[in-house]
């Protein structure tokens, strides 16, 4: 499976800033709120690291389930935890076939919608806190699926080109001796034909001489 460059893995961690919005903007933030941020990040990082070691769809689904559960539970204490659903939607693009990835992204959108319903944050702040996740989960999921499918198509094309090149080299290697044998056969036929003509040419004078004698 295709995995992103190591540098980009660290760049994408910048989205964890969403966890800091609520404690920074809430005037009643206390020690427990900051502790919740630290705990959520500590729980997220091992799951995030595991996303780059998965080898099959089953492992990917387990990782996505872990992120979805963390997003839902974390949103009860910090609305920024909904960002974990966006991470999960991006990872879902590795699933194959595409319809499976689409179904998983749809489930994640449903999880975010459920967060909006059960969140303890009062309206309209609830929509401000969870609205971005409700928007970007399907958007990131769709664009990631598109990019993953484009990458698969590109790799299939490269494999087809390599197979074609190998087949051409094999045909060239197999055709070389055949052509040489063919040229040798033609040369042999030409020599034989020339010898036959000489034989026939020698026979005609001898027959004529016998007739005269």
């Amino acid at each position: 499976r295709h995995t992103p460059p190591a540098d980009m893995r660290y760049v994408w961690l910048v989205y964890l800033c969403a966890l800091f919005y609520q404690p920074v903007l809430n005037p009643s933030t206390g020690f427990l709120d900051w502790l919740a941020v630290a705990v959520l990040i500590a729980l997220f990082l091992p799951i995030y690291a595991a996303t780059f070691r998965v080898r099959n769809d089953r492992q990917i689904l387990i990782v996505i389930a872990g992120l979805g559960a963390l997003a839902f539970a974390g949103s009860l204490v910090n609305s920024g935890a909904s960002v974990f659903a966006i991470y999960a939607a991006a990872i879902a693009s590795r699933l194959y076939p595409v319809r499976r990835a689409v179904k998983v992204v749809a489930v994640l959108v449903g999880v975010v919608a459920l967060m909006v319903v059960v969140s303890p944050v009062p309206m309209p702040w609830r929509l401000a806190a969870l609205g971005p996740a409700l928007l970007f989960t399907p958007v990131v999921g769709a664009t990631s699926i598109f990019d993953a499918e484009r990458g698969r198509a590109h790799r299939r094309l490269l494999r087809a080109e390599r197979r074609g090149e190998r087949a051409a080299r094999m045909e060239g290697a197999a055709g070389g001796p055949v052509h040489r044998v063919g040229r040798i056969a033609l040369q042999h036929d030409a020599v034989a034909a020339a010898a036959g003509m000489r034989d026939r040419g020698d026979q005609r004078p001898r027959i004529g001489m016998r007739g005269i004698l």
Side-chain angles (χ1 to χ4, degrees), residues 91-175:
I91 296 165
S93 65
R94 304 183 196 177
L95 295 169
Y96 192 81
V98 173
R99 62 177 177 273
R100 179 179 298 172
V102 172
K103 290 178 181 177
V104 170
V105 172
V107 170
L108 291 170
V109 173
V111 170
V112 177
L114 185 59
M115 292 180 199
V116 176
V117 174
V118 303
S119 174
V121 178
M123 288 289 193
W125 306 111
R126 184 185 307 180
L127 292 179
L130 297 172
L134 195 59
L135 171 65
F136 286 109
T137 298
V139 170
V140 170
T143 54
S144 298
I145 290 172
F146 176 79
D147 289 340
E149 187 59 21
R150 183 174 58 181
R152 293 186 191 104
H154 180 66
R155 289 191 291 275
R156 285 194 294 266
L157 180 60
L158 289 178
R159 287 195 295 269
E161 289 178 352
R162 293 191 188 103
R163 285 196 296 267
E165 292 173 357
R166 285 197 296 269
R169 287 196 296 268
M170 292 175 65
E171 289 177 0

Side-chain angles (χ1 to χ4, degrees), residues 42-54:
L43 292 174
F44 166 77
L45 290 178
I47 302 175
Y48 180 71
T51 63
F52 303 106
R53 297 194 298 268
V54 292

Side-chain angles (χ1 to χ4, degrees), residues 26 31 49 76 98 124 211:
N26 188 354
F31 171 77
L76 299 177
V98 173

